[in-house]
Amino acid sequence: MARFVWAMKRAAPWAARNADGAIALILAVVVGVLGIMPDEMFGKEGQDIQRQLVNAATLVILALVATALLRDRLRQAPVERTITSGALAELPVRLARMEQIESLAHSTRRALDALQLVRVLGSRQEIAQSHAEARKDTARWSFKGGTGTYLRAVTLPLCVAAARRDKRHLTVRVEVLDPADAEVCETYAHYRRSLSESPDATGETWTTDRVRKESYATVLAAFWHRQRYGLLDIAVGLSATMTTFRWDLSSTRLIMTVEDPNMAMTALAGTFYYENCDTELRLSFEQARRVPLEMYKKVPLSDEPTIEEVQELFEHIGMPLPKSYDGRDVVDIARKALRAVDPYGP
């Protein structure tokens, strides 16, 4: 008895909350029982009463079911209104906030990139990739270094080809060692030999004569490209002092390389380091001895310059080749100018 009373106490709250459903369930059970009982149990008059009870109970069950449905809808209406007027109404605002957060994250990343003054490149592949990114769509290029071998082999031909393809203007400023200054050429050759006496990636060792030929080749390459692309504004300066660094500066980034082919530094445009190196290169170029490239029309060069054309060019611009140079030396300069070997190549 106590267990029955305990069960009723537990069921009473549920029955109170769901009275209509409970009544409908009880009536459905009663109607079901009446419906399956044999007609002989009620007699003729009892059968009429049985049918009336079933019909009446069925109507009551339907009414209770309808009442339960209406009550559930009334309970759900505030929830639906809350969802519709709350979360859904705030959805555009939340989406706008997400866009603001994405924009803020993008701006923060750009600011962090700008604060990163210099990034170290630690492999040939990274250096080559950085050079490729610097060349992409650039409208200007400044170089300062020893003799400009990589400039002649890769940078200048590819930049000119890209500018010609897009039919756009290209400004190039080059500063290399003065080939007429024997002292600075010897200093540079001694420095390169002190790092390694073995031939470099081009297959040659560094001598004073090689330094002079490489610088002459850079001058010749500048004239050759200027004669073939009218939108190329190129200038060459000759320096009397050597540097252990090589600067390559484009519209988007600066790359500073050293003699180690697996080490370099890079900085993006707009950073403190990039802007100051840009100023340094401009001032250094202004102090260098200028090659009169405005005379590029005076001595036309063939696609494969002849010995006479090369000699005449340097005579005409006031940079005569050494008298000790024979035809083989002149051919070597022309080869270095137009078919230079990539010093960072495989």
Side-chain angles (χ1 to χ4, degrees):
M1 186 66 180
R3 185 175 297 177
F4 176 76
V5 173
W6 176 80
M8 290 298 295
K9 286 183 179 179
R10 291 194 60 185
W14 177 87
R17 291 193 303 271
N18 302 277
D20 47 3
I23 295 172
L25 178 62
I26 294 171
L27 288 176
V29 172
V30 172
V31 169
V33 172
L34 291 174
I36 64 174
M37 292 179 67
D39 294 340
E40 292 77 7
M41 292 182 60
F42 297 98
K44 187 175 181 180
E45 294 181 357
Q47 291 176 5
D48 294 336
I49 296 173
Q50 179 190 19
R51 283 192 294 272
Q52 292 176 5
L53 288 173
V54 171
N55 292 336
T58 302
L59 293 175
V60 172
I61 292 172
L62 292 174
L64 290 171
V65 170
T67 302
L69 291 174
L70 291 174
R71 184 195 61 189
D72 289 340
R73 289 186 179 180
L74 290 174
R75 289 177 179 176
Q76 293 175 2
V79 177
E80 292 177 353
R81 285 196 299 269
T82 301
I83 295 175
T84 304
S85 62
L88 293 179
E90 294 178 359
L91 185 58
V93 178
R94 293 182 178 181
L95 290 175
R97 288 178 180 174
M98 289 180 64
E99 291 179 358
Q100 292 176 356
I101 292 173
E102 290 179 358
S103 177
L104 179 61
H106 183 65
S107 300
T108 303
R109 184 168 184 174
R110 285 189 301 176
L112 290 174
D113 288 340
L115 289 174
Q116 184 181 9
L117 295 181
V118 177
R119 184 165 65 92
V120 176
L121 307 175
S123 68
R124 292 172 182 261
Q125 292 74 20
E126 278 191 294
I127 296 173
Q129 179 62 30
S130 187
H131 272 278
E133 292 173 356
R135 289 192 301 266
K136 186 178 180 181
D137 300 327
T138 188
R140 58 182 288 238
W141 195 280
S142 295
F143 171 82
K144 177 182 178 181
T147 59
T149 306
Y150 185 81
L151 178 82
R152 283 179 275 113
V154 180
T155 304
L156 188 56
L158 292 182
C159 285
V160 171
R164 180 182 285 111
R165 183 181 61 248
D166 299 336
K167 298 179 176 60
R168 55 179 168 80
H169 182 265
L170 176 65
T171 300
V172 178
R173 296 291 179 266
V174 180
E175 183 179 346
V176 293
L177 299 177
D178 189 343
D181 191 327
E183 183 177 351
V184 72
C185 290
E186 170 56 31
T187 301
Y188 185 74
H190 180 268
Y191 168 70
R192 295 297 298 265
R193 286 196 307 270
S194 67
L195 298 178
S196 175
E197 294 184 355
S198 302
D200 59 14
T202 66
E204 299 182 67
T205 57
W206 282 98
T207 63
T208 303
D209 186 59
R210 181 188 172 186
V211 175
R212 301 180 73 180
K213 286 181 179 178
E214 298 281 357
S215 289
Y216 278 124
T218 299
V219 175
L220 178 60
F223 275 96
W224 190 88
H225 285 287
R226 179 65 183 89
Q227 290 181 6
R228 278 155 180 76
Y229 186 55
L231 297 180
L232 173 62
D233 176 15
I234 186 168
V236 178
L238 305 176
S239 176
T241 57
M242 65 155 283
T243 174
T244 59
F245 293 106
R246 288 184 292 271
W247 287 271
D248 285 279
L249 186 141
S250 73
S251 302
T252 58
R253 68 178 59 220
L254 162 76
I255 305 169
M256 182 184 293
T257 53
V258 292
E259 300 310 326
D260 186 343
N262 295 304
M263 293 298 295
M265 296 179 290
T266 184
L268 298 178
T271 60
F272 173 82
Y273 194 71
Y274 174 95
E275 298 299 334
N276 279 271
C277 285
D278 189 15
T279 301
E280 171 68 20
L281 293 180
R282 289 175 182 270
L283 292 176
S284 180
F285 184 80
E286 289 178 0
Q287 298 174 65
R289 181 165 73 95
R290 197 69 57 88
V291 175
L293 264 140
E294 64 276 3
M295 301 174 66
Y296 69 95
K297 293 182 180 180
K298 302 296 183 180
V299 184
L301 297 170
S302 305
D303 290 343
E304 294 291 337
T306 64
I307 295 175
E308 293 74 17
E309 288 174 347
V310 174
Q311 291 175 330
E312 184 180 355
L313 171 67
F314 283 106
E315 287 284 347
H316 205 79
I317 64 174
M319 292 179 59
L321 297 176
K323 294 181 179 180
S324 59
Y325 280 11
D326 55 19
R328 186 178 302 174
D329 295 310
V330 177
V331 170
D332 194 24
I333 292 173
R335 177 185 59 82
K336 292 177 180 294
L338 304 181
R339 289 189 293 276
V341 178
D342 181 0
Y344 299 107

